[in-house]
Amino acid sequence: MAANPRLHLTPLAVSSSKRQTQESARRLKGAHDSIDGLFETLHSVRDAKVKAGVSLARLSHAEVDLLRAALVFAGAGLDAVLKQLVRDALPKLLDGYPAAQGALKGYSGRLTTEQPAKAKAILMSPDPTKALRQQYVADLTKGSLQGHGELIEIRKALGLPDTGALSETSLSGFSDFFIARNQVAHELDLKMPTGRGTFTRRYRRMDETRERADAALVLGGDFIVAVERWL
């Protein structure tokens, strides 16, 4: 009886050379290391089962919990990377990058229309430009990422081109990741029973979970690399 193939994340290819991206890169590495550790724990458990002659045909509840944790850590890591980029890199991008400045202008127009009281308070502040930027960053970083639409919103705010891994088409492909992550984080992966009985839990597969977690971390690295090009 042989153990399942080992799960490995794609090695990080991000070497942050700019001060404004260093903390984002550190957070990405932290998430990467944590998920690698979860996978190693999973394999240790399964190796012990092999030695004990226990079937590996189906993951135990405890093993699936490790996969669930990997999804949550991947979502948290991507969230931390993007929010930190907004806090650390967006202010500099707004100083001299037209695409980011255009996104701020659009935000300002929406704020005036949708939240006139807040817009008025900003205009009445001692430094309206500074106050507007602070409110912009605060709005972009509040809460946690819940879907691919917020990935697109942050990409636009940073002024990054709608191409390659950061294109709207590519980012829309993360819908399934967020659905899975939210099912674990907000619902504990519980499903309503279809008939009499107790709640059941969704099953998570090793290969699918690895693919989703890995894609989220690779995307975080893509954002960092893209931002560095414009700093």
Side-chain angles (χ1 to χ4, degrees):
M1 183 186 299
N4 276 18
R6 319 301 272 190
L7 298 181
H8 296 289
L9 294 172
T10 301
L12 292 178
V14 177
S15 86
S16 175
S17 60
K18 304 292 179 70
R19 176 179 58 82
Q20 294 87 353
T21 58
Q22 287 175 356
E23 181 59 23
S24 292
R26 187 180 74 85
R27 295 183 181 217
L28 179 63
K29 183 179 185 304
H32 193 279
D33 290 348
S34 293
I35 296 171
D36 260 344
L38 289 168
F39 288 160
E40 281 303 310
T41 300
L42 173 63
H43 295 314
S44 295
V45 171
R46 292 174 69 74
D47 286 344
K49 290 171 71 174
V50 170
K51 290 180 181 178
V54 177
S55 173
L56 296 180
R58 186 174 176 85
L59 294 169
S60 69
H61 291 304
E63 290 166 346
V64 178
D65 277 342
L66 290 169
L67 297 179
R68 294 184 179 111
L71 288 172
V72 173
F73 270 80
L78 179 59
D79 187 280
V81 167
L82 299 191
K83 299 295 177 59
Q84 204 62 43
L85 283 175
V86 169
R87 296 186 188 101
D88 295 345
L90 182 56
K92 183 173 181 180
L93 293 172
L94 289 173
D95 285 338
Y97 185 30
Q101 293 168 345
L104 175 60
K105 184 177 180 180
Y107 166 81
S108 178
R110 292 191 300 274
L111 194 67
T112 301
T113 302
E114 299 169 9
Q115 301 183 64
K118 185 178 288 186
K120 182 178 179 180
I122 289 172
L123 287 172
M124 297 295 290
S125 68
D127 188 339
T129 298
K130 180 179 179 181
L132 176 62
R133 289 187 177 191
Q134 288 176 337
Q135 187 61 54
Y136 189 37
V137 169
D139 283 347
L140 287 169
T141 56
K142 67 182 180 183
S144 62
L145 300 175
Q146 298 298 317
H148 73 273
E150 288 154 279
L151 298 178
I152 295 171
E153 179 184 18
I154 289 179
R155 190 255 298 156
K156 289 179 178 178
L158 293 167
L160 303 177
D162 181 10
T163 58
L166 303 187
S167 70
E168 186 162 341
T169 299
S170 294
L171 296 180
S172 295
F174 280 84
S175 290
D176 287 344
F177 167 77
F178 281 107
I179 289 171
R181 176 261 180 195
N182 291 342
Q183 286 171 338
V184 175
H186 302 311
E187 302 171 14
L188 300 177
D189 244 0
L190 292 170
K191 296 192 298 182
M192 290 292 293
T194 55
R196 294 181 61 186
T198 60
F199 282 87
T200 56
R201 302 188 78 182
R202 297 178 182 89
Y203 187 73
R204 298 293 172 187
R205 292 183 10 239
M206 291 174 64
D207 55 348
E208 183 179 66
T209 298
R210 180 264 167 201
E211 181 180 344
R212 286 174 172 169
D214 191 67
L217 297 186
V218 169
L219 179 64
D222 289 337
F223 265 94
I224 293 172
V225 170
V227 166
E228 286 208 328
R229 292 195 188 106
W230 300 101
L231 289 173

